[in-house]
């Protein structure tokens, strides 16, 4: 902080809870250490009159100041695969993109991809990234590297290891019977059982018992999906979450296949993964359900009753043909929602503006009747909703005294905001990310006037370029193998779509 003890973000239009989101008032924001100390008009004058010279001024004139966005669902493992694919069903994409399909990656690749993803998030105004880290085979050194990399670039990170103990071939309806047996080994899930290591025990011993010593790092748990985890693994998850007060992230009902799997395999829970998690004690405010597309009305009610959160991922849900989540019903039930940008290989962009806009548009086309103002809801999901998913709703995601100083300044002298008819609607429906100029995380300026201050961005791009030949060679091999599997994939896919699961969340035009 250049020897200064505080920052004053001065004269910006500040988007605060309780103020008019269409016409936010001009105010100053005083930051001391990592937190907001005061918000209000005229603070700059008061500070000048007091003779304090330990405050650095960040001029926010003609800028919109918003809380930093929270990317509430993301995986760093396939950052280098953006732009590699067209639309593809989720179950096919899994075979193209998930780490068990690939040889073990190098340290250089882990570092390059983690940095690149974090920088893209920061440049889109995301100050918190929830990384459901997927390492296969698990290597503690690689997990250390991910955590160190986030610290180096300066982004706030909610890190959850993704784990499972049921093989992929047993988690999708009809896969075991449609594929020849010698191909079963290729039908992996996000995190195949790894008998060589106990990731949860390692994580507790290494990171949880002594605290992290990193005030921008939050540890979380990442059971891959209920149908990929045994009751014993869910029990350990519940115990660890309770012992350390940790948030839990999992995938639920992303595709029709996942709903059908529940109907077929969980008859003792009325074919419901939500009822299973309720019985196992995992539902509650610490649990976050990524996707939540194929939810039944009674399951939505259970989520509302237990204050369980949902994370909507509009970009990947549409590109992977997963369907449209029941946003209106979740809103009506009062379920807290966060927003994520998910994997780079299937969303192609870590861009909260795209996610917010699609959140509104998906809600619009899923109900013929007019609904609530979705721009405000999308903005809340991207900020305070995301903060609540991380268990930080009382200190993150808003610009208020005592809250962590994670702020983004957007240039209002940009065509996106001219004329300024509604700040929040233009933020959600018009802005694409071009206006993001300055990003502050934990009271530190990480991007200033478009320049990344914590690292040499060109050097990071060179690290990526150096690793790409090896990555692309492996990607091509995986893509070729997936082509050979395609007839069997399609056979299973057709059988899944011929079944009933009690709803349809994909627009089929029929
Ligand atoms: Zn995911």
């Amino acid at each position: 902080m250049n020897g200064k003890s505080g920052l004053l973000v001065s004269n910006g239009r500040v988007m605060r809870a309780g103020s008019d989101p269409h016409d936010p008032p001009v105010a100053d924001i005083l930051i001391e250490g990592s937190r907001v100390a005061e918000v209000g008009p005229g603070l700059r004058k008061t500070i000048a009159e007091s003779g304090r010279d330990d405050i650095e001024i960040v001029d926010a004139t003609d800028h919109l100041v918003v809380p930093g966005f929270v990317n509430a669902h993301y995986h760093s493992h396939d950052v280098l695969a953006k732009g590699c694919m067209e639309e593809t069903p989720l179950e096919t994409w899994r075979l193209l993109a998930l780490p068990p399909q690939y040889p073990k990656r190098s340290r250089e690749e882990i570092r390059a991809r983690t940095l690149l993803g974090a920088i893209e998030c920061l440049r889109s105004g995301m100050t918190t990234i929830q990384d459901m880290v997927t390492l296969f085979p698990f290597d503690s050194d690689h997990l250390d590297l991910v955590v160190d990399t986030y610290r180096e670039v300066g982004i706030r990170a909610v890190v959850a290891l993704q784990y499972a103990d049921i093989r992929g071939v047993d988690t999708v309806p009809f896969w075991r019977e449609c594929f020849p047996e010698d191909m079963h080994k290729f039908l992996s899930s996000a995190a195949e059982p790894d008998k060589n290591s106990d990731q949860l025990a390692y994580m507790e011993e290494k990171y949880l018992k002594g605290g992290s010593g990193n005030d921008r790092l939050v540890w979380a748990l990442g059971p891959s999906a209920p149908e990929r985890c045994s009751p014993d693994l869910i029990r350990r998850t519940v115990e660890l979450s309770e012992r350390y007060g940790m948030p839990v992230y999992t995938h639920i009902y992303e595709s029709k296949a996942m709903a059908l799997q529940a109907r077929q395999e969980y008859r003792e829970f009325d074919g419901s993964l939500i009822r299973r998690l309720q019985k196992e004690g995992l539902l509650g405010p610490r649990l976050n359900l990524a996707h939540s597309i194929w939810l039944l009305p009674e399951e939505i009610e259970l989520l509302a009753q237990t204050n369980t959160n949902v994370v909507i991922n509009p970009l990947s849900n549409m590109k992977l043909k997963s369907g449209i989540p029941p946003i209106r019903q979740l809103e009506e039930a009062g379920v807290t929602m966060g927003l994520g940008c998910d994997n780079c290989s299937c969303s192609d962009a870590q861009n909260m503006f795209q996610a917010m806009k699609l959140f509104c548009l998906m809600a619009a086309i899923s109900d013929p009747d007019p609904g609530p103002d979705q721009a405000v809801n999308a903005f809340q999901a991207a900020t305070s909703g995301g903060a609540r998913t991380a268990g930080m709703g009382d200190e993150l995601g808003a610009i208020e005294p005592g809250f962590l100083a994670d702020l983004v300044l957007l240039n209002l002298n940009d065509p996106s905001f001219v004329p300024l008819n509604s700040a929040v609607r233009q933020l959600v429906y018009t802005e694409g990310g071009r206006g993001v100029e300055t990003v502050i995380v934990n009271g530190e300026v990480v991007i200033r006037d478009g320049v990344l201050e914590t690292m040499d961005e060109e050097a990071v791009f060179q690290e990526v370029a150096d690793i790409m030949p090896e990555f692309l060679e492996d990607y091509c091999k995986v893509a070729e193998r997936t082509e050979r599997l395609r007839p069997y994939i399609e056979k299973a896919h057709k059988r899944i779509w011929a079944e009933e699961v009690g709803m349809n969340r994909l627009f089929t035009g029929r």
Side-chain angles (χ1 to χ4, degrees), residues 233-270:
L233 197 55
I234 296 293
R235 181 187 55 73
R236 289 185 70 194
T237 302
V238 172
E239 282 172 8
L240 269 181
S241 172
E242 281 175 2
R243 192 175 306 146
Y244 296 98
M246 276 191 294
V248 179
Y249 294 82
T250 193
H251 299 93
I252 199 113
Y253 291 145
E254 184 172 356
S255 67
K256 183 177 180 182
M258 290 162 87
L260 183 61
Q261 180 77 1
R263 304 295 183 271
Q264 293 180 343
E265 298 294 321
Y266 295 96
R267 292 184 204 279
E268 73 269 40
F269 304 107
D270 300 328

Side-chain angles (χ1 to χ4, degrees), residues 73-75 77 93 98 130 132 134 162 190 224 228 250-251 254 290-291 313 316 342-343:
H73 186 66
Y74 164 77
H75 304 271
H77 68 257
W93 168 83
L98 295 178
Q130 194 284 305
M132 202 169 178
T134 314
Q162 180 162 211
S224 182
R228 299 169 205 157
T250 193
H251 299 93
E254 184 172 356
H291 309 298
N313 298 274
S316 60
D342 211 356
N343 299 66

Side-chain angles (χ1 to χ4, degrees), residues 334-398:
V335 175
T336 296
M337 279 183 275
L339 265 174
C341 293
D342 211 356
N343 299 66
C344 282
S345 69
C346 59
S347 65
D348 299 277
Q350 296 308 313
N351 187 316
M352 193 52 84
F353 302 97
Q354 291 185 6
M356 290 193 292
K357 184 170 184 171
L358 274 177
F359 175 95
C360 300
L361 301 182
M362 292 198 315
I365 65 154
S366 58
D367 195 317
D369 293 323
D373 284 1
Q374 291 294 357
V376 168
N377 290 353
F379 175 68
Q380 281 179 351
T383 52
S384 56
R388 285 174 69 175
T389 67
M392 300 175 76
D394 58 353
E395 58 174 343
L396 188 71

Side-chain angles (χ1 to χ4, degrees), residues 479-490:
E480 281 166 21
R481 187 174 66 213
T482 306
E483 260 326 292
R484 292 200 299 278
L485 297 173
R486 194 169 291 277
Y488 311 103
I489 298 171
E490 286 177 359

